[in-house]
């Protein structure tokens, strides 16, 4: 194993994890870390041309910006499922269009991030939050639209608690059949790119909008709960052609297009969301920013680096 350059000054907690997309859900090495139901944020790094941090790179407007972002060019969600693990995306077509597969191409390494909760959050509460984040990420990927101009010209509109909840309301309404809500989500101001949907919104909705009867009724209207409860228990049928509104068209296999990996993800049953979720979701706003562990680092072959933290 050769030395891997990184902006992390200590590799004490790094774990090198092998992967190949041809393994699909059966990522043998990766599954030592991802159990069914777990949700990771994955930042994909692509930097084949600028291997050194030098002044000429920073003076170039485009290359300098990418270097400041550590060449993070995409964000994916890595999720444990019954048959192993999958990666899901915003836009949902990403895996098919870019041959990204279940993990990433071999020259496109990723860093995996998991939520690290504060000490007074019990294991049951932690799992309930993760279940909720995972479910919101699926709802977002079903109906949101990716903006055509996303590299610096698509401003973050959900920059307050109220706006996050308004966006979540439109997502639920769209999934449940409101074409006006779907049109709102697809308007230029409401379009969301990969890190907005897969990180910012999934986490802020997941940690602040529990999908249980009390919170759904309080945040989105008492009339919503019966239908939300039903969709949470649909399983794979949630992704069937014509079952619920979807950004993409019907597929030839009976399921919506670009849902091959999403439909393996378990939604959040109400009994789980309702039993362990804290009653005051607004108190959690902002915790997740302080709760992420530091980065690991990837390498341009069949490897991952990842930080390992106890549950």
């Amino acid at each position: 194993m050769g030395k891997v350059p990184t902006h992390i000054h200590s590799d004490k907690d790094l774990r090198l994890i092998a992967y190949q997309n041809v393994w699909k859900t059966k990522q043998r090495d990766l599954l030592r870390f991802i159990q069914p139901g777990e949700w990771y944020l994955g930042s994909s790094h692509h930097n084949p041309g600028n291997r050194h941090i030098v002044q000429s790179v920073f003076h170039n407007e485009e290359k300098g910006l990418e270097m400041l972002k550590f060449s993070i060019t995409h964000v994916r969600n890595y999720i444990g499922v019954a048959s192993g693990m999958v990666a899901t995306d915003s836009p949902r077509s990403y895996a098919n269009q870019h041959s990204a597969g279940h993990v990433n191409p071999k020259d496109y390494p990723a860093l995996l991030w998991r939520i690290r909760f504060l000490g007074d959050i019990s294991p049951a509460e932690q799992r309930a939050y993760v279940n909720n984040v995972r479910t919101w990420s699926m709802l977002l990927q079903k109906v949101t639209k990716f903006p055509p101009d996303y590299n610096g010209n698509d401003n973050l509109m959900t920059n307050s608690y109220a706006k996050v909840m308004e966006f979540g309301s439109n997502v639920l309404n769209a999934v449940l059949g409101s074409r006006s809500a779907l049109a709102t989500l697809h308007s230029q101001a409401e379009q969301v790119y990969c890190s907005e949907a897969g990180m910012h919104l999934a986490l802020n909705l997941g940690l602040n909008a529990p999908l249980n009867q009390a919170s759904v009724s309080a945040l989105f209207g008492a009339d919503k709960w019966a239908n939300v409860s039903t969709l949470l228990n649909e399983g794979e049928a949630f992704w069937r052609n014509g079952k619920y509104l979807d950004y993409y068209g019907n597929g030839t296999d009976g399921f919506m297009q670009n849902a091959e990996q999403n439909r393996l993800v378990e939604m959040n049953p109400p009994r789980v969301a309702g039993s362990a979720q804290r009653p005051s979701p607004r108190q959690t706003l902002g915790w997740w920013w302080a709760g992420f562990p530091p980065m690991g680092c990837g390498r341009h072959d069949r490897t991952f680096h990842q930080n390992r933290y106890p549950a």
Side-chain angles (χ1 to χ4, degrees):
M1 185 185 303
K3 182 179 180 181
V4 181
T6 173
H7 58 280
I8 301 296
H9 296 294
S10 170
D11 61 358
K12 178 181 177 181
D13 293 319
L14 295 179
R15 298 292 186 271
L16 198 63
I17 304 176
Y19 73 90
Q20 286 195 74
N21 272 337
V22 294
W23 296 341
K24 297 186 177 179
T25 60
K26 302 298 184 183
Q27 299 293 325
R28 298 184 288 271
D29 199 18
L30 194 54
L31 289 178
R32 294 186 300 131
F33 301 91
I34 299 182
Q35 299 299 312
E38 289 190 312
W39 182 96
Y40 282 81
L41 178 68
S43 55
S44 300
H45 299 249
H46 195 238
N47 182 19
N50 300 293
R51 305 305 303 153
H52 303 283
I53 301 176
V54 295
Q55 198 172 53
S56 60
V57 172
F58 275 108
H59 285 173
N60 181 288
E61 182 177 358
E62 182 177 353
K63 294 178 181 178
L65 177 61
E66 290 303 320
M67 188 66 74
L68 286 171
K69 297 190 299 182
F70 296 110
S71 299
I72 300 174
T73 53
H74 187 55
V75 165
R76 311 189 78 185
N77 296 140
Y78 292 90
I79 302 172
V81 298
S83 58
M85 60 78 59
V86 295
T88 67
D89 304 275
S90 175
R92 209 171 73 223
S93 59
Y94 180 86
N96 290 329
Q97 287 183 341
H98 299 278
S99 301
H102 285 68
V103 185
N104 258 0
K106 68 177 183 179
D107 63 346
Y108 207 165
L111 312 179
L112 269 64
W113 307 61
R114 68 184 300 184
I115 305 171
R116 190 179 187 187
F117 291 92
L118 299 180
D120 63 341
I121 309 299
S122 72
E125 289 173 330
Q126 291 182 31
R127 188 51 186 255
Y129 280 127
V130 171
N131 287 345
N132 211 52
V133 170
R134 186 184 68 243
T135 302
W136 271 110
S137 67
M138 292 300 98
L139 297 175
L140 288 159
Q141 290 170 18
K142 187 161 179 62
V143 292
T144 55
K145 181 178 180 179
F146 193 84
D149 188 1
Y150 56 87
N151 199 13
N153 294 309
D154 182 70
N155 294 331
L156 178 69
M157 301 303 293
T158 50
N159 53 12
S160 69
Y161 177 88
K163 289 181 179 179
V164 168
M165 293 305 120
E166 181 182 2
F167 195 95
S169 179
N170 282 326
V171 167
L172 282 182
N173 287 335
V175 171
L176 294 174
S178 170
R179 294 195 175 274
S180 63
L182 189 67
T184 297
L185 291 173
H186 295 174
S187 64
Q188 184 174 357
E190 302 297 317
Q191 295 170 19
V192 290
Y193 55 91
C194 56
S195 61
E196 285 181 296
M199 179 178 69
H200 169 72
L201 285 164
L203 284 164
N204 273 302
L205 285 166
L207 298 178
N208 291 281
L211 290 169
N212 55 37
Q213 184 172 4
S215 292
V216 168
S217 299
L219 293 170
F220 308 117
D223 60 321
K224 297 289 188 301
W225 173 243
N227 291 328
V228 170
S229 176
T230 297
L231 76 83
L232 293 176
N233 285 285
E234 290 280 15
E236 192 179 48
F238 177 70
W239 301 96
R240 288 195 178 277
N241 289 342
K243 185 74 173 181
Y244 293 94
L245 285 187
D246 193 284
Y247 175 69
Y248 297 94
N250 290 343
T252 58
D253 60 353
F255 293 91
M256 304 304 297
Q257 295 174 18
N258 303 306
E260 295 89 346
Q261 297 184 171
N262 293 73
R263 72 193 199 210
L264 299 179
V265 177
E266 182 182 358
M267 299 285 271
N268 188 9
R271 63 183 181 276
V272 176
S275 61
Q277 208 85 29
R278 289 195 163 196
S280 302
R282 185 187 292 260
Q283 294 176 359
T284 70
L285 187 64
W287 281 0
W288 62 273
W289 279 118
F292 270 120
M295 282 189 184
C297 183
R299 190 171 74 177
H300 284 182
D301 57 14
R302 294 167 47 201
T303 60
F304 264 110
H305 272 164
Q306 179 206 43
N307 285 292
R308 180 79 189 273
Y309 287 88

